[in-house]
Amino acid sequence: VLFGALIIISLALLLRIISWRSSFSAILFFATLWLLIQLPSVQTWMIKKVTEKISKDLHTTILIRHIDFSLFNKMTLDSALIEDTNKDTLLYAGALKVQITDWFFRKDKADLQYIGLNDATIKLQRKDSVWNYQFLADYFSSSKKDTSKGIELDLKKMVLSNIHFLKKDAWRGEDMELHLASMQLDAEEINLSKKIAKINSIEFAKPEFAITNYTGRRPPPDTTEAIIKNDPLHLRLNPAGWGITAKTINIQNGSFKDFKADGRQPSKYFDGTHILFYAVNADLKNVILKKDTVTALIALSTKERSGFEVKKVTANVKMFPEGMEFSKMDLQTAKSRLRSFYAMRYKTFDDMSDYI
């Protein structure tokens, strides 16, 4: 009823503006319109019209059940669904909350004080060289190159809860899946335009990560290609050129699974083609990503399904596209202890499957 009344008032005021050209009526009209937009029911109606238009253009389904936002700094979104062109879920978000400051007044810079995402599912899939989200990238890409600087976004806090991420790559022959109970990120600065991230802390609770490898549809690579070189102008590990530092990263009760779909049951002993580490607890300090190199001080403990247990491992880690190095290492198991230095060398990280 209130929604209908406000619409009638707005139309009446609009007619007055047209007929009388009264500045006072214009002020009343825009004030009423501003109040109208503040109503959650009006906001949901507006977003419904927008998603219906985009769904029709894309020949797929985009739904947002409810939205509530302030024009200046806050937005809450409930039950959002985006399907791909095969009518499969691309993204579902149970609840998304955003708190932003200064953008309305400064226009060119915004501080994302808080992002919260609950009960979300993300499914990326492909059977050929094209991913199922490409139609969205094509739709929202600009036909004209934008040379303007754009809005500078600076993220401070992020909280994720009950997240499921699935990446099915039938073209390459590798599926990745992540179940995450929660993640809390506290940052001094994450600047998207400058590609700088200065993170104070990240805490992961029950991250369950799995990789499954199988024969993909992609033709075998050309073995006559030139030798891959570590080119600082063409980064492989960090192609976007981000500079990232993190003071602490904590992982609580995580797991890592790496299975090869070879059609046989895993051995009850350690099986390099069926690896499952659980009870992963780790602390990483002074994590730095600079160009194509990651360095960190790690302390980790875990157990493997075969009964093998890593009671503790500490090391200064250095990882780059052609290798990993563990210096000042101290690795303790139930019946052994390795210390000093360990390194692995390879052409690409994909060679790790041959190593294991």
Side-chain angles (χ1 to χ4, degrees):
V1 175
L2 181 59
F3 172 66
L6 285 172
I7 291 178
I8 293 172
I9 293 172
S10 299
L11 290 175
L13 288 173
L14 180 59
L15 291 175
R16 283 172 175 259
I17 292 171
I18 295 173
S19 60
W20 298 345
R21 297 180 181 180
S22 168
S23 60
F24 178 71
S25 297
I27 293 172
L28 285 178
F29 169 74
F30 288 112
T32 304
L33 184 61
W34 183 83
L35 290 173
L36 187 66
I37 296 175
Q38 298 301 300
L39 294 174
S41 57
V42 176
Q43 296 169 1
T44 300
W45 177 81
M46 292 171 60
I47 201 69
K48 180 181 178 182
K49 293 300 180 182
V50 173
T51 54
E52 285 178 351
K53 172 63 168 61
I54 297 176
S55 296
K56 184 178 180 180
D57 292 344
L58 295 175
H59 305 289
T60 188
T61 300
I62 299 178
L63 296 173
I64 298 177
R65 180 172 297 177
H66 176 75
I67 189 170
D68 183 6
F69 62 85
S70 164
L71 288 181
F72 296 113
N73 63 358
K74 294 181 180 179
M75 181 187 75
T76 301
L77 183 150
D78 295 324
S79 301
L81 172 67
I82 301 176
E83 292 184 347
D84 61 21
T85 53
N86 294 317
K87 305 302 180 183
D88 198 357
T89 298
L90 179 60
L91 168 68
Y92 173 80
L96 171 65
K97 296 182 180 180
V98 178
Q99 183 175 345
I100 190 169
T101 62
D102 295 336
W103 171 80
F104 186 84
F105 302 99
R106 298 173 62 179
K107 303 297 184 183
D108 60 343
K109 183 174 174 34
D111 289 332
L112 287 169
Q113 293 293 330
Y114 175 85
I115 293 180
L117 180 62
N118 299 332
D119 302 323
T121 297
I122 303 168
K123 294 173 66 176
L124 309 181
Q125 304 180 73
R126 68 172 179 175
K127 295 181 179 180
D128 50 31
S129 59
V130 180
W131 287 97
N132 64 333
Y133 59 80
Q134 186 60 47
F135 73 105
L136 285 177
D138 294 339
Y139 181 80
F140 288 106
S141 62
S142 175
S143 59
K144 296 181 180 180
K145 187 175 181 180
D146 186 3
T147 58
S148 62
K149 181 180 178 182
I151 299 174
E152 188 175 318
L153 295 176
D154 189 1
L155 176 62
K156 300 297 185 184
K157 290 185 182 294
M158 179 184 292
V159 177
L160 308 180
S161 177
N162 192 23
I163 306 299
H164 177 213
F165 174 80
L166 177 63
K167 181 182 178 183
K168 294 179 67 67
D169 192 349
W171 177 246
R172 189 166 179 262
E174 182 180 75
D175 295 346
M176 296 184 182
E177 189 167 14
L178 172 67
H179 290 272
L180 181 63
S182 68
M183 186 208 77
Q184 296 188 35
L185 179 148
D186 176 72
E188 177 182 339
E189 176 187 13
I190 299 180
N191 193 303
L192 303 183
S193 60
K194 294 181 179 179
K195 298 180 181 178
I196 295 174
K198 297 178 182 179
I199 300 169
N200 295 322
S201 64
I202 308 178
E203 295 183 0
F204 294 96
K206 294 183 178 179
E208 299 175 355
F209 182 71
I211 300 177
T212 303
N213 292 288
Y214 49 93
T215 302
R217 299 186 176 193
R218 182 177 62 179
D222 185 2
T223 56
T224 62
E225 292 179 349
I227 298 175
I228 299 173
K229 295 183 179 180
N230 193 7
D231 185 353
L233 299 179
H234 299 86
L235 303 178
R236 289 186 282 151
L237 183 64
N238 180 26
W242 274 79
I244 300 176
T245 61
K247 294 179 181 178
T248 62
I249 299 177
N250 178 260
I251 299 173
Q252 299 177 12
N253 197 23
S255 68
F256 173 78
K257 179 180 178 181
D258 186 356
F259 274 31
K260 290 179 176 59
D262 53 10
R264 67 176 182 83
Q265 292 297 317
S267 168
K268 64 179 181 178
Y269 304 105
F270 184 84
D271 185 345
T273 59
H274 298 86
I275 297 173
L276 173 57
F277 284 98
Y278 65 97
V280 178
N281 295 285
D283 283 303
L284 289 77
K285 296 182 179 180
N286 300 327
V287 182
I288 299 173
L289 170 61
K290 184 177 181 181
K291 293 186 177 179
D292 253 2
T293 301
V294 178
T295 58
L297 173 62
I298 69 167
L300 179 147
S301 64
T302 184
K303 299 177 182 179
E304 211 273 332
R305 62 171 189 85
S306 62
F308 174 73
E309 180 179 1
V310 178
K311 291 185 174 293
K312 183 181 75 170
V313 57
T314 59
N316 291 328
V317 178
K318 181 179 180 181
M319 184 174 73
F320 46 97
E322 296 86 16
M324 295 183 189
E325 296 177 357
F326 300 81
S327 61
K328 296 184 179 180
M329 184 185 70
D330 185 3
L331 190 157
Q332 301 179 32
T333 71
K335 298 182 179 180
S336 64
R337 186 172 186 178
L338 299 177
R339 284 184 284 188
S340 190
F341 181 83
Y342 176 74
M344 294 183 287
R345 301 281 187 261
Y346 38 80
K347 291 183 179 179
T348 70
F349 194 75
D350 290 341
D351 294 342
M352 288 292 293
S353 58
D354 296 330
Y355 171 78
I356 295 175

